[in-house]
Amino acid sequence: MNAPSQPSQPLQAGSLRLETALRLLQCSGIELPDTRHSDPAGWLQAVLDGLCELSSRDALTGLANRRQFEMAMAREIDRVARAGEPALVLMIDIDHFKRVNDTHGHAAGDQVLRAVARTLHECIRPMDTVARMGGEEFAMILPNCPPAFGQAVAERVRGKVQARPASVAPGVDVQVTVSIGGAFAPQWVRSSAALWVERADQQLYRAKQAGRNRACLEMPPVSHVSAEEKGLLFGHSQFQDPE
């Protein structure tokens, strides 16, 4: 008979090779508490929290990255399917971004991306998510956004970007506009992130084709679900075994 295994010893922060991780956090401006020796467990948790933060953020703009966006989409799809509350996703693309790079250089293009990111971040509520999807494309997830307000919300975002030229060099400002496509998640239906984004992308393409610097939204079909139907979907089954 084998002897019982001994309980593992608590992992000490000093026994780990953390140099690369610490350099990464330092270069990213994330400060760690000065408790490495007095509270190694708490300090190590701060290292892990910092690395998680870096892994979910776009390095250039500081917005959520595609990975974080996809996680937020999955949570929102689940919430909409269970609660039936409306939710809107906006796909946002900077118009004629290649022209900025060709005219002013890639460093200027980075300044434009940062400026647009700051403006988009100012447009969101605490429960919303704004992410950089890659290149000059951004996305927003807007929970509990009624369809009646969707177009106004998208137009507000578009207008705020247009109203703020991006400074790309001393004395040099670039006028920036965006095209926006939006789609609402189907209520009481467990859709997929790919289908939801695809529908918003179709509206973004429509905005581009219509001349850019505009917002096009796909309005959701009217779906009526009675209280009785909701109970059948989410209530306790009459066929459950008694506890």
Side-chain angles (χ1 to χ4, degrees):
M1 183 173 175
N2 295 330
S5 59
Q6 297 296 321
S8 58
Q9 296 297 320
L11 193 60
Q12 298 296 320
S15 66
L16 301 175
R17 295 189 294 273
L18 297 171
E19 292 78 11
T20 301
L22 295 179
R23 284 197 298 270
L24 180 61
L25 293 174
Q26 184 179 28
C27 291
S28 302
I30 295 179
E31 296 185 4
L32 296 175
D34 188 21
T35 58
R36 182 169 187 174
H37 301 293
S38 60
D39 181 19
W43 180 85
L44 185 57
Q45 184 62 56
V47 172
L48 295 175
D49 291 343
L51 293 174
C52 288
E53 175 70 14
L54 283 183
S55 72
S56 66
R57 295 289 160 187
D58 174 63
L60 179 65
T61 65
L63 298 181
N65 59 18
R66 179 183 287 271
R67 181 187 301 111
Q68 184 71 6
F69 172 81
E70 290 174 349
M71 292 175 61
M73 284 285 282
R75 290 194 301 269
E76 193 58 23
I77 287 171
D78 182 68
R79 192 187 67 83
V80 170
R82 288 185 291 104
E85 295 181 1
L88 174 65
V89 65
L90 298 178
M91 304 304 294
I92 305 163
D93 192 81
I94 299 176
D95 296 325
H96 303 298
F97 183 71
K98 184 177 183 298
R99 186 183 301 171
V100 175
N101 284 332
D102 292 344
T103 304
H104 302 282
H106 289 278
D110 287 348
Q111 292 297 335
V112 168
L113 290 170
R114 293 190 184 100
V116 171
R118 287 193 296 270
T119 301
L120 296 180
H121 190 266
E122 292 174 7
C123 293
I124 64 172
R125 305 162 298 174
M127 72 281 285
D128 300 335
T129 299
V130 58
R132 182 185 176 205
M133 301 298 285
E136 64 271 29
E137 188 173 41
F138 300 83
M140 280 186 180
I141 305 172
L142 305 165
N144 197 21
C145 179
F149 300 151
Q151 190 69 41
V153 168
E155 283 293 338
R156 177 175 176 268
V157 172
R158 184 201 61 76
K160 289 199 73 168
V161 173
Q162 183 181 21
R164 293 187 180 179
S167 177
V168 299
V172 180
D173 291 342
V174 173
Q175 180 68 49
V176 183
T177 64
V178 294
S179 297
I180 301 175
F184 285 88
Q187 295 171 267
W188 304 108
V189 175
R190 192 169 299 279
S191 182
S192 71
L195 290 174
W196 193 6
V197 169
E198 181 182 355
R199 289 168 42 229
D201 272 334
Q202 290 172 355
Q203 297 303 310
L204 175 60
Y205 178 77
R206 188 160 71 93
K208 292 284 189 182
Q209 290 295 104
R212 296 181 170 85
N213 190 24
R214 65 192 64 218
C216 295
L217 268 62
E218 175 194 278
M219 299 308 292
V222 178
S223 177
H224 298 289
V225 180
S226 68
E228 182 181 1
E229 289 171 322
K230 293 176 187 177
L232 290 173
L233 283 170
F234 303 108
H236 292 289
S237 170
Q238 60 179 315
F239 300 109
Q240 283 182 317
D241 294 329
E243 294 183 357

